[in-house]
Amino acid sequence: MWLVALLLVAVPQTSSLERQAYRAYQAQDWAAAVRLYESFHSSAPGTAATWDNLGVAHINLAQWQPAERALRKALELEPRHRWAYNHLGFVYREQGRHQQAVEMFRRQIQISPKDPYAYRNLAGTLILLGRVEEAERTAAQHEQRTYERGAVYIDMACHLNARNQPEQAGKYLDRAEEAGADRSLLAQERGHHYLTLGDHRRAEQQYIRLLEYKPYDPKVALRLGALYFHTGNLEKAGAAFERVLSL
């Protein structure tokens, strides 16, 4: 599962190097974005937005310590930068520093109480801490503020599946479906759910459904091919991998 609203940042304004860095950032060329933003910051103080962008680029390269340093710099420059809190919370959560992540998402809510992403990320982190009732209250607050119905429950299920707790995860997937969650997101996480349960047939059905929703997404065909390969169906695996190459 990737970071919610990662690209919602301010547009840079000044130097040529900063513009190059931002173009790399928009293109999701994370290694180039890191190199260019670091070059820019070596000759200019930067802004909260440029340091936040650098932090996000590090996040996408799983470089947690440099990401934390960049995001803390963003907050030093702008203590009410809500996205820096969001991204720093993600960094902490990915390192298993869940209580610190909770604090960051709560700070984001204080600054922007109508922002659904803060509630969504907070609910997912609380479920990792086993604080189920608090997570469900936070999820309900997310549902009151978003058009992405049910997405928070898919996130909660994803975290539980990753922790090998499929029974509780299944409950949240059902809740996501009842809320009208995006069908492709639901199929993807149900596939993950059935793999956690060891039910390869149902996982296959979900990934085939996902491929119907996203026929031109190579990652979906790759996921299906990996499932076939794992279960020894080499003919179907080969066909899925050929589809990846054709996309």
Side-chain angles (χ1 to χ4, degrees), residues 35-104:
R35 175 175 52 80
L36 290 164
Y37 272 122
E38 287 182 343
S39 295
F40 169 68
H41 289 142
S42 69
S43 58
T47 65
T50 63
W51 283 101
D52 183 60
N53 287 0
L54 175 58
V56 168
H58 280 304
I59 285 172
N60 280 279
L61 296 170
Q63 297 170 345
W64 307 121
Q65 291 183 352
E68 181 177 352
R69 288 195 295 269
L71 294 166
R72 286 198 171 278
K73 181 64 175 180
L75 290 171
E76 178 184 318
L77 293 169
E78 175 47 72
R80 292 183 60 82
H81 195 297
R82 64 187 177 111
W83 286 113
Y85 283 110
N86 179 282
H87 299 146
L88 190 53
F90 183 84
V91 168
Y92 288 149
R93 189 171 70 191
E94 289 302 297
Q95 295 179 92
R97 297 158 66 182
H98 296 134
Q99 186 54 45
Q100 289 174 281
V102 165
E103 292 168 6
M104 293 300 101

Side-chain angles (χ1 to χ4, degrees), residues 92-206:
Y92 288 149
R93 189 171 70 191
E94 289 302 297
Q95 295 179 92
R97 297 158 66 182
H98 296 134
Q99 186 54 45
Q100 289 174 281
V102 165
E103 292 168 6
M104 293 300 101
F105 296 136
R106 289 201 186 284
R107 181 63 177 137
Q108 185 186 5
I109 288 171
Q110 290 175 352
I111 294 168
S112 184
K114 295 183 180 180
D115 184 352
Y117 292 109
Y119 295 93
R120 180 174 170 179
N121 287 328
L122 178 57
T125 307
L126 289 168
I127 206 73
L128 286 170
L129 286 166
R131 290 153 62 174
V132 175
E133 291 184 5
E134 195 175 352
E136 291 190 352
R137 287 197 301 271
T138 304
Q141 290 175 298
H142 169 271
E143 289 296 284
Q144 293 169 4
R145 292 167 172 82
T146 187
Y147 63 89
E148 295 178 302
R149 313 305 300 180
V152 64
Y153 297 119
I154 293 177
D155 287 355
M156 292 163 72
C158 181
H159 290 308
L160 290 166
N161 280 322
R163 290 174 63 116
N164 200 30
Q165 298 178 30
E167 184 175 341
Q168 192 173 0
K171 179 182 74 173
Y172 289 120
L173 288 173
D174 291 342
R175 191 172 296 183
E177 187 167 9
E178 291 168 5
D182 178 271
R183 292 180 301 173
S184 63
L185 292 176
L186 193 58
Q188 178 173 309
E189 191 53 39
R190 283 204 185 277
H192 180 200
H193 175 65
Y194 287 127
L195 282 179
T196 304
L197 289 168
D199 190 336
H200 297 133
R201 183 182 63 81
R202 287 189 176 180
E204 177 190 7
Q205 291 172 346
Q206 292 299 320

